[in-house]
Amino acid sequence: MNRIHRVRRGTIAGVILFCLITFSPLSLFAAEKVSLTITPPLFQLNVKPGDFWSSSVRVINANNAPLTLYARVYGFIAEGEDGHGDFISISEGANGDDAMLARWINLQEKEIELSPGASGEIPFTISIPKSAPPGGQYAAILVGTAPPEFSSVGPAMLVSGSVSSLLFVRIDGDVREEGVIREFVTEESVYQSPRANFSVRFENLGNVHLRPQGDITIYNMWGKERGRILVNQQTDFGNVLPKSTRKFAFEWIGESNLFEAGRYRAVATLAYGRDARQNVSRSVTFWVIPTKETIAVFGSLIFGVWCLILLIRRYVRRALRLEMVRRGMHDGINGHDVSRLRDEKPLLRPEVLLRPLEIGIVDLRKTKEALEKTESKNKKLIARGLLRKYVLVLVFIPTALFLILWFFVYFKEVLVKERVFEINIQKESSSLAQSRAIV
């Protein structure tokens, strides 16, 4: 009996615990999606030591319920190479350099009430000390549904429904703008189809944020442009903070065409700097080789060239033999003597090389006359004899025409000025991007 009571008590306790966990206010709040919009998302200021500047951010409540919103200022630093950053709380003993600008910002309103669909402004001021060092200073104003004492950075921002407005402040003075393309590579060196993934890593070596802009131009092995990727253009973002590196990733998809196989070269050129525009450039090479198609086409091409060379050599040997016969060198009919005399310049005159053609024309005339005079039953024998004598010529002509046609089509295709291409900008997943500010 006691055992049954213990089982019942355990079951009841488990049900109560399940209800508390499932239906607790914290779980309901975490499951609720809070939609907030803040404008502008980015301030970029140029100030002097001792300046005073004021403005405001506007927050929009896009929810069906009223919200109480709280604002707080954080320092801001770059994190990783994907264009995101970390927020640094001033009250957590942050490094003075990283949170310097945050200490100069004063929020006039730290708490506002917004009804559904309404918007409100949060004014703030920035007081730049006269002793402020030149270069870039960075901070962020975070607005969320959790009070400052409970708010934090990272994934918890998604729960509290926080949004941020970044402040990039450039303080005049000894500003150093310096950057370099640390790396420009493709994921692979050989691709089966005209499809390549590029990544450009730009490092900021100066003391102020830079926004590198430029393009990546792709050329085929004949120097014809096969794609142009715009890098970091037509955007207010894409900044690289001092002493940090940012990676830009792209996917290039060219036109699927067998004639476009070969070696490609991509050139990345980026410009940066406000005071003095500077340029940096790097290049990378890669191959596009569709294995099966390339083997089939180039295998037949190589075979055709080999046949052509063999037929030409046979033709030259015949020309030399005819010349030696004409000179009375009957012992030179064998291959050894022909090889010895072939290097003698007097034997390689144009009239010597053309003699087999002259003899062939004469044979055709004689054959034509013979066919006209011969009865129909003997005409086939005469025609067969001519075919056996000039079978190599009959093979040579279509082989040569095939190779000429192939080269004509090839160069016509590869020298086309423009080709269709597609560019995909590779970005971080939206769920992860929401938890960190985009620089």
Side-chain angles (χ1 to χ4, degrees), residues 187 197-198 248-251 424-428:
E187 284 189 358
N197 295 312
F198 298 97
F248 302 91
F250 309 91
E251 182 186 31
N424 293 326
I425 302 176
Q426 299 178 2
K427 296 182 179 179
E428 196 171 9

Side-chain angles (χ1 to χ4, degrees), residues 6-51:
R6 285 197 299 270
V7 171
R8 289 179 178 175
R9 289 174 189 164
T11 303
I12 295 172
V15 171
I16 294 173
L17 181 62
F18 174 78
C19 292
L20 289 174
I21 294 176
T22 305
F23 301 106
S24 65
L26 179 61
S27 298
L28 288 174
F29 185 77
E32 182 181 354
K33 293 183 179 180
V34 178
S35 178
L36 295 175
T37 302
I38 190 169
T39 59
L42 174 65
F43 290 91
Q44 299 199 65
L45 312 176
N46 297 312
V47 299
K48 297 178 181 179
D51 281 357

Side-chain angles (χ1 to χ4, degrees), residues 230-241:
L230 299 181
V231 180
N232 207 24
Q233 298 189 25
Q234 300 178 348
T235 177
D236 290 331
F237 292 89
N239 294 282
V240 184
L241 301 189

Side-chain angles (χ1 to χ4, degrees), residues 373-391:
K373 298 177 181 180
T374 306
E375 298 179 0
S376 58
K377 62 179 181 180
N378 295 324
K379 288 182 178 181
K380 293 182 179 180
L381 295 176
I382 297 174
R384 289 175 183 174
L386 184 66
L387 288 175
R388 283 195 298 268
K389 186 176 182 180
Y390 291 99
V391 63

